Amino acid sequence: GQPTALLTDLLDNLSIKYPLELKNEFTNHPLILIYGQEELFNGQGGANPNRIVFITEVKNTQRMSEIMNNWEQTLPEDFKEILNTNPANQASQTFLSNERRGINIRYKNFPLPDKSIDYSILTSLTNHHYLVITNSRESMYSPTDKIKGL
C-alpha cells in the first residue's frame, strides 16, 4: 500500500519545530481540518475566521501528556506562523486548563479565546487515543465532542 505520513512529516514540511520524541508517539492516521470559526470577539467578523485543526492518533496518552506538557514552553513560538498567533500577545505566561464534558483541554489565549493555542489528548468511544491541536476554543470543542461521541 501507499506509505502514510505522520503529523511530524507535516510539521517538518511547514518548518514547525517540535520535540523529537513525538516521532515515536504517533500512529499513521493524521488529519488536518479547516474549521469555520463562528465565535469572533472583535465584532468585525475577522478577515480570516478559519481555524486549523491538527488531529492525530497517538500510541500512549500518558507519554503524549508528558511530551506536550514539556512542549508548552515553546509551543506558542513554534506554532506562531501556522496558527497566526503573536507570542507577545499571550494572555497568560503559562498554559491553563479547561474541562469540557470530561475532556481536559490545555490552552493559552492571544489575548482572547477566538485566537489561541488549544490542545487535548483524548480517547474515543472506540478506545483510540488522539492529540488535537488548534487555534481557538470553538475549533477545539467541535472535534473533541465528535471524537468523544457527544
Side-chain angles (χ1 to χ4, degrees), residues 2-3 9-10 15 25 27 29 38 44-45 47 56 68 75-76 79-80 96-97 100 103 107 111 117 125-126 139:
Q2 291 280 58
D9 297 329
L10 174 66
S15 299
E25 299 303 319
T27 68
H29 300 107
E38 293 179 20
Q44 308 284 319
T56 190
M68 291 303 296
L75 200 58
F79 273 81
K80 70 180 181 183
L96 304 172
S97 289
R100 176 175 166 89
I103 300 166
Y107 71 96
I117 297 177
L125 293 175
T126 57
S139 63

Side-chain angles (χ1 to χ4, degrees), residues 84-124:
N84 194 24
T85 54
N86 181 348
N89 292 339
Q90 299 175 112
S92 63
Q93 288 302 307
T94 60
F95 273 72
L96 304 172
S97 289
N98 185 18
E99 186 174 300
R100 176 175 166 89
R101 300 179 178 172
I103 300 166
N104 183 45
I105 298 170
R106 299 283 293 161
Y107 71 96
K108 185 178 274 199
N109 294 334
F110 294 87
L112 297 170
D114 66 330
K115 188 169 279 195
S116 64
I117 297 177
D118 288 53
Y119 77 86
S120 184
I121 301 153
L122 60 146
T123 302
S124 71

Side-chain angles (χ1 to χ4, degrees), residues 7 10-11 14 16 29-34 51-57 79 82-83 118-120 130-135 139-140 143 147:
L7 179 62
L10 174 66
L11 297 178
L14 295 171
I16 296 173
H29 300 107
L31 179 64
I32 289 76
L33 306 170
I34 302 296
R51 301 294 187 252
I52 297 172
V53 182
F54 298 95
I55 303 172
T56 190
E57 189 174 356
F79 273 81
I82 192 71
L83 296 183
D118 288 53
Y119 77 86
S120 184
Y130 297 93
L131 169 66
V132 179
I133 302 173
T134 188
N135 59 336
S139 63
M140 174 57 76
I147 290 170

Side-chain angles (χ1 to χ4, degrees), residues 15-19 71 74-82 87:
S15 299
I16 296 173
K17 289 190 275 186
Y18 57 86
W71 194 11
T74 61
L75 200 58
E77 183 67 27
D78 296 341
F79 273 81
K80 70 180 181 183
E81 297 297 327
I82 192 71

